[in-house]
Structure formats: structure tokens, C-alpha cells
Amino acid sequence: MEIISTFTAALLTVEAFTGTYGINYGRIANNIPSPDKVVTLLRAAKIKNVRIYDADHSVLKAFSGTGLEIVISIPNENLKDMSANEDHAMNWVKQNVQPFLPDTLICGIAIGNEILGGSDFELWTVLLGAAKNVYNAVKKLDLDGLIQITTAHSQAVFSNSFPPSSCKFRDNVAQYMKPLLQFFSQIGSPFCLNAYPFLAYMSDPGNIDINYALFLSTKGIYDPKTHLHYDNMLDAQIDAAYAALEDAGYKDMEVIVTETGWASHGDENEKAATIDNARTYNYNLRKRLAKKKGTPLRPKNVVKAYIFALFNENLKWGPTSERNYGLFKPDGSISYDIGFQGLQSSSANSLLSTIKEQGGRGCYEHQISVAIISALTLLLFLQ
């Protein structure tokens, strides 16, 4: 039985991303720092919004009492089971969420990653059922006011995204996407997009100005339908998603960027994957997010983005670029300078102890006062 009502959705204030700058903490590596040291690194960098791709208990324990806000994930391979059995969804929440609250600020659960548009069509059919069962489990445990349910999409769900106003969902995706959007609209969840100007540029370097992808000075593009000008590709990718949502009947749904980044090293055919380009993209992206402004099409919707990724991950498969998105090297030192500080071993233990003594309220405070959280987040970022 689905436990959803329009009235309840209207009262929801849960928000998994209370800042504008977050990071993806991928761990497909055998040489990265322990979760305790990662906490120290994140706090030193003043990054409080974090996403992981599972619900690893060692990470959740390390985040306890730190004030860091974390979105955990149910891996793609678990979705069929979650969709087929409500009890399994409930057991997963009881094992991986409930025991860590409230000390660990689990603010969201991502149901898989880049399912629609992907190659496993069977997963397309179970995504909605898994999302509903997990949400219902969260609601039965009275955690729906604390935890937001989402899923992230790649740009493969779109049939066209240039100019932004022309964007629509692919016909074969739309039959699965629209029911999912209806459900997420009911429970107050955003549309989560993995947006990579790096990949877009790599796919068509002859026709895309790299300055446009890197937030550098450029003539940009003009959208003849909306009469809007775009001076960077990320804004255009976000507005393309807004256009697709409007076409599908969900004009008011917020778009959040759950992955974006630029590789610092690549194969012979990945010429754009350089340290200079990665530094330029991530530095300019950080400045853009700090302005807390919207896009040309949605100027009132402040852009929020999780950067990919915290570390270079040496065990990822695929081209060399896949293993070189990290802002930090495996030893915790910076990959390149965009204003962050690497791990300082001499102060790591004392800093972590101070953080845990201070504790944090994070997304729980957000339910009391959105204004207070916004002010605190801005203060943390500017310090």
C-alpha cells in the first residue's frame, strides 16, 4: 500500500542539499584515506554536503557527530529486490539508516544511479517500484521529514539538448520517466542530473568552444525560442533539463546537479583531460556556485551541484579519465589548487576530535528554520 498524500507532500520541508556546493565521495580505490581522515579533509575544505554510492557503515560511523550531511545510495544491483519486496526495502532502511540517526545526518537516499537511459532495461521497469517501497519504509518509520528520496539521471534520458529550450525526454524513456516524475512531485523530490561539460566537449570538440565548457570568456550560445543567452555549458545543460521537465508537465520541479567535474588526466584520445583544464573548470565552478544564483531560464532557482569527485579512484574501469576526476590525490594532498587545503597529518586528530565534540544538527535544523541553515551554510563557505 502506498502511503502518499498531496496534503502530506505539501507539508514536507525535507531537503537533502542545504548548501550549494557538495562532493561525491567515491571509494572504488585501494589507496585512499580512511573515513575518519576524509571527515577531517571535508571539514578543512568546508564542504558539508556529501554523496556516497552505497551505505557503508564505516563511513556512516565516521560521519557521526560531525555535522556533515550525507546522501547514501542503494546500488543498482539491489533495485530489483527493493522493488519486488516491501519487507526487503524496510529491512534495508532499518539496517542502513535508522541505527545511525540522529548522530549521522543522513539527509537523502538515492535509488540507484543513471538507470533510465542505461543499458539494463530490466532496471528501467523496477526503478519506480524500488523508489516507492523505500519511501514507504522511510515514512512508516517516521523518517520522511528527515530523508529525501531521489535518483540521478544521465543526459542519456534526453532526445536533444541544443538549444536548451528544445530538450525533451527520449520517447522510450518518457513512459518510465513520467510516472517517476509524478511520484517525486508528490513527495517533494527534485530532478537529479549528472551533467558533464567535459563529456559534451569531448564528444564534439570541433563544434564546441572549450572556453564555453570551462566557464571562460566566450560568445556563448543564443536560444532563439526563449531569447536567452548562455555563457557557459553547465547552465545550458541545467536549463535543458528544466525544458524537458516543463514539456513533461513538471515545470516547478527543481533540478539539482548530482555529478559534475573535469578529468585531470586521460588517454591519448582524451586531449581535454589536463590538470590545467580540470583546475579551470573546478575553480570557476566553485566561484559560480558561491554566487548562489540561478540559470537564465530559472533565475530564482539557485544552482546546487555535487562535484565529482573527492579522490582519484584507481580501481575504476574504463578510460584513464575515469580514474582522474579527484580534487584530491589518494594521500589526501590536493590534485591542483582551487583554494582547498589537503590533509594535514599533524592536526588531523585534534581537528576531528573538535568536530565530534561540537557535533552538528545539519538537515534537522533545516526543518526548524530554512533561513538559519542558509545563513550558516553561507558563513561556512565564506570562512
Side-chain angles (χ1 to χ4, degrees):
M1 175 180 177
E2 294 178 23
I3 310 176
I4 307 168
S5 72
T6 302
F7 177 73
T8 301
L11 295 178
L12 286 177
T13 58
V14 60
E15 190 175 343
F17 198 168
T18 58
T20 61
Y21 190 98
I23 201 157
N24 288 279
Y25 172 19
R27 304 189 320 284
I28 306 178
N30 61 9
N31 58 356
I32 58 177
S34 66
D36 275 355
K37 290 183 178 179
V38 169
V39 166
T40 302
L41 182 63
L42 291 169
R43 293 296 298 183
K46 294 182 171 58
I47 300 173
K48 67 179 294 185
N49 297 287
V50 184
R51 292 176 78 243
I52 60 174
Y53 293 89
D54 53 23
D56 185 88
H57 289 193
S58 68
V59 175
L60 298 182
K61 289 175 182 176
F63 276 47
S64 175
T66 64
L68 296 171
E69 300 180 7
I70 187 169
V71 173
I72 62 176
S73 304
I74 298 176
N76 292 1
E77 58 266 25
N78 294 353
L79 296 194
K80 294 175 186 177
D81 183 51
M82 293 292 168
S83 178
N85 194 311
E86 290 183 358
D87 290 338
H88 289 181
M90 174 62 78
N91 290 337
W92 189 92
V93 174
K94 284 183 176 180
Q95 292 171 11
N96 298 291
V97 180
Q98 195 175 34
F100 300 96
L101 299 173
D103 293 336
T104 299
L105 304 185
I106 301 173
C107 297
I109 301 174
I111 313 298
N113 187 50
E114 297 188 347
I115 299 298
L116 301 184
S119 59
D120 190 337
F121 291 101
E122 190 174 357
L123 289 182
W124 295 27
T125 66
V126 302
L127 176 59
L128 178 58
K132 287 183 175 180
N133 283 347
V134 173
Y135 173 77
N136 287 339
V138 167
K139 187 170 180 64
K140 287 177 181 177
L141 296 173
D142 294 323
L143 301 176
D144 54 309
L146 306 176
I147 296 172
Q148 188 179 72
I149 306 299
T150 61
T151 190
H153 305 284
S154 74
Q155 291 188 303
V157 300
F158 303 130
S159 62
N160 180 45
S161 59
F162 182 84
S165 62
S166 69
C167 190
K168 297 181 179 180
F169 292 112
R170 283 168 43 190
D171 289 341
N172 64 331
V173 168
Q175 61 179 311
Y176 299 97
M177 181 66 79
K178 289 183 178 180
L180 185 68
L181 294 176
Q182 181 181 23
F183 173 65
F184 280 164
S185 178
Q186 288 176 319
I187 65 173
S189 295
F191 181 87
C192 293
L193 175 68
N194 295 344
Y196 285 92
F198 168 71
L199 297 178
Y201 172 77
M202 289 284 293
S203 70
D204 193 11
N207 292 307
I208 296 176
D209 181 359
I210 194 169
N211 289 344
Y212 178 60
L214 292 172
F215 299 95
L216 294 174
S217 179
T218 176
K219 68 178 182 180
I221 68 164
Y222 174 76
D223 191 320
K225 180 179 177 181
T226 59
H227 305 294
L228 295 173
H229 176 263
Y230 291 87
D231 61 11
N232 72 84
M233 186 184 291
L234 183 64
D235 278 5
Q237 290 178 329
I238 295 170
D239 276 357
Y242 276 122
L245 288 170
E246 184 170 355
D247 179 73
Y250 296 92
K251 180 179 180 180
D252 296 329
M253 184 171 285
E254 180 185 16
V255 174
I256 290 178
V257 178
T258 36
E259 287 184 19
T260 189
W262 198 286
S264 61
H265 183 59
D267 293 319
E268 183 64 25
N269 63 344
E270 298 178 302
K271 299 291 189 183
T274 67
I275 288 178
D276 284 344
N277 286 342
R279 180 194 297 113
T280 299
Y281 182 81
N282 281 293
Y283 177 77
N284 288 332
L285 173 62
R286 190 180 178 205
K287 286 200 306 181
R288 191 256 179 270
L289 296 175
K291 293 177 181 178
K292 299 186 183 298
K293 69 175 187 177
T295 59
L297 187 63
R298 294 287 188 273
K300 295 182 180 180
N301 290 11
V302 175
V303 174
K304 304 175 179 180
Y306 289 93
I307 313 309
F308 189 86
L310 187 58
F311 297 111
N312 290 333
E313 298 172 78
N314 67 331
L315 297 182
K316 293 196 73 173
W317 63 276
T320 298
S321 59
E322 283 294 315
R323 294 177 288 281
N324 289 279
Y325 275 92
L327 298 186
F328 296 90
K329 297 178 181 179
D331 64 1
S333 63
I334 58 174
S335 295
Y336 40 79
D337 186 10
I338 61 169
F340 290 137
Q341 183 178 358
L343 278 175
Q344 300 295 320
S345 57
S346 61
S347 61
N349 292 334
S350 60
L351 177 57
L352 182 60
S353 297
T354 301
I355 291 165
K356 291 199 171 187
E357 286 173 6
Q358 290 175 344
R361 292 174 289 275
C363 56
Y364 300 95
E365 280 187 347
H366 176 71
Q367 294 176 290
I368 300 172
S369 172
V370 174
I372 291 175
I373 277 293
S374 299
L376 289 174
T377 304
L378 178 60
L379 180 60
L380 283 171
F381 187 85
L382 293 177
Q383 283 181 338

